[in-house]
């Protein structure tokens, strides 16, 4: 089994069919049998538009970064990527091989 991590970078205000994109992605991944995913809410970041988004109190209502991290077998991850691209046409996605060194869930 070759484990990989898929990271999907988006903004908290991104939506898909009336839901936040990260909620829609989690539902899709769960329904697709993916082992697990975590949504990480960033406190600051910038992307291709070079605009810094921050949780600074002086900048209320900003669009903060969100990362969805997914770990599973490479084949299972690659099978869901085409639909994720349709759901999130503007999102940056990265895929990396990983080595599990400690695992309470026994993925490996």
């Amino acid at each position: 089994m070759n484990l990989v991590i898929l990271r999907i970078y988006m903004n908290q205000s991104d939506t898909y069919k009336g839901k936040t994109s990260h909620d829609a992605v989690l539902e899709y991944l769960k329904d697709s049998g993916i082992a697990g995913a975590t949504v990480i809410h960033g406190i600051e970041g910038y992307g291709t538009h070079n605009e810094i988004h921050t949780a600074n109190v002086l900048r209320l209502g900003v669009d903060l970064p969100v990362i969805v991290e997914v770990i599973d077998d490479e084949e299972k991850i690659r099978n869901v990527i085409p639909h994720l691209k349709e759901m999130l046409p503007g999102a940056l996605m990265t895929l990396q091989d990983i080595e599990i060194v400690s695992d309470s869930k026994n993925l490996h």
Side-chain angles (χ1 to χ4, degrees):
M1 179 185 297
N2 184 35
L3 293 174
V4 295
I5 185 167
L6 171 67
R7 285 190 188 93
I8 307 167
Y9 298 84
M10 61 187 85
N11 295 319
Q12 70 181 9
S13 65
D14 292 345
T15 60
Y16 178 77
K17 293 188 176 180
K19 298 180 182 180
T20 62
S21 291
H22 59 274
D23 283 338
V25 166
L26 282 184
E27 287 177 17
Y28 169 68
L29 294 170
K30 186 173 185 262
D31 292 346
S32 298
I34 296 297
T38 301
V39 176
I40 301 166
H41 196 213
I43 60 168
E44 194 166 24
Y46 74 94
T48 57
H49 300 298
N50 266 347
E51 182 178 331
I52 294 178
H53 303 275
T54 181
N56 185 319
V57 174
L58 299 176
R59 292 178 155 186
L60 297 176
V62 296
D63 192 14
L64 296 174
V66 173
I67 302 168
V68 178
E69 290 193 344
V70 187
I71 296 175
D72 207 327
D73 181 64
E74 181 176 6
E75 183 177 348
K76 287 176 72 176
I77 297 285
R78 288 196 181 276
N79 286 337
V80 298
I81 288 175
H83 185 68
L84 290 170
K85 285 181 177 180
E86 289 176 18
M87 292 175 71
L88 310 165
L92 171 66
M93 296 185 205
T94 64
L95 189 65
Q96 293 175 290
D97 288 327
I98 60 167
E99 176 185 353
I100 303 287
V101 294
S102 177
D103 177 15
S104 64
K105 303 286 186 211
N106 296 315
L107 282 175
H108 63 295

